[in-house]
Amino acid sequence: PASGVYLGYFQLQFSDPPNYYIQYCTSYNPFPVTLPVEQDKVWTITKTATTLKIECNGVEVLNYVFSDSESTDSTCVARWSQDVELIKFWLYTASDGYRQKPGMQTIIYLTIECVNLIDKIKWLH
């Protein structure tokens, strides 16, 4: 797609149990492992051309392979395999802030600190 085209979003839902959603790839699913028990959580999100990896307080809680998509077509891989030029937080986020890991150039790496109910991250090409 041309520059500035919306590719999709990733959503953390702090329900009981906590869920994740990857637009064009999944429905709302619980994380496959138990999240760390600390109330303050630092989420590390790493996107490559083939995977979206999520860590919580240094513990890997999801390593989603786009080709394993629940989608019956190839939309997940077609969208999420692209390079990302911009990441946006939606207006009502649960994050205290975010930062890019120093020195990371070939993959998207994002750390967010979440304390409330929901967080959505919008990816643009």
Side-chain angles (χ1 to χ4, degrees):
S3 185
V5 174
Y6 170 74
L7 294 180
Y9 71 86
F10 168 76
Q11 181 174 348
L12 297 171
Q13 188 175 46
F14 299 102
S15 53
D16 188 15
N19 291 296
Y20 69 92
Y21 172 78
I22 305 171
Q23 189 179 27
Y24 306 114
C25 300
T26 70
S27 55
Y28 288 91
N29 292 314
F31 286 93
V33 298
T34 303
L35 300 182
V37 297
E38 296 87 0
Q39 181 172 345
D40 292 336
K41 293 179 172 42
V42 175
W43 296 85
T44 302
I45 302 167
T46 306
K47 182 210 169 291
T48 68
T50 58
T51 63
L52 187 68
K53 179 179 166 183
I54 312 297
E55 294 179 5
C56 181
N57 294 356
V59 175
E60 184 175 288
V61 295
L62 181 68
N63 191 342
Y64 187 81
V65 177
F66 301 132
S67 62
D68 291 343
S69 171
E70 298 170 7
S71 175
T72 56
D73 59 25
S74 60
T75 305
C76 176
V77 172
R79 289 205 175 241
W80 286 92
S81 64
Q82 298 183 52
D83 290 338
V84 174
E85 295 177 0
L86 179 68
I87 300 170
K88 288 186 177 182
F89 280 85
W90 287 12
L91 183 59
Y92 298 107
T93 70
S95 298
D96 290 335
Y98 67 96
R99 61 188 176 272
Q100 183 175 357
K101 185 176 182 180
M104 296 298 283
Q105 297 176 358
T106 57
I107 60 173
I108 297 298
Y109 172 103
L110 183 68
T111 298
I112 57 175
E113 299 173 8
C114 302
V115 293
N116 270 337
L117 298 177
I118 202 165
D119 214 341
K120 291 183 182 180
I121 301 170
K122 188 175 181 180
W123 305 80
L124 299 172
H125 173 75

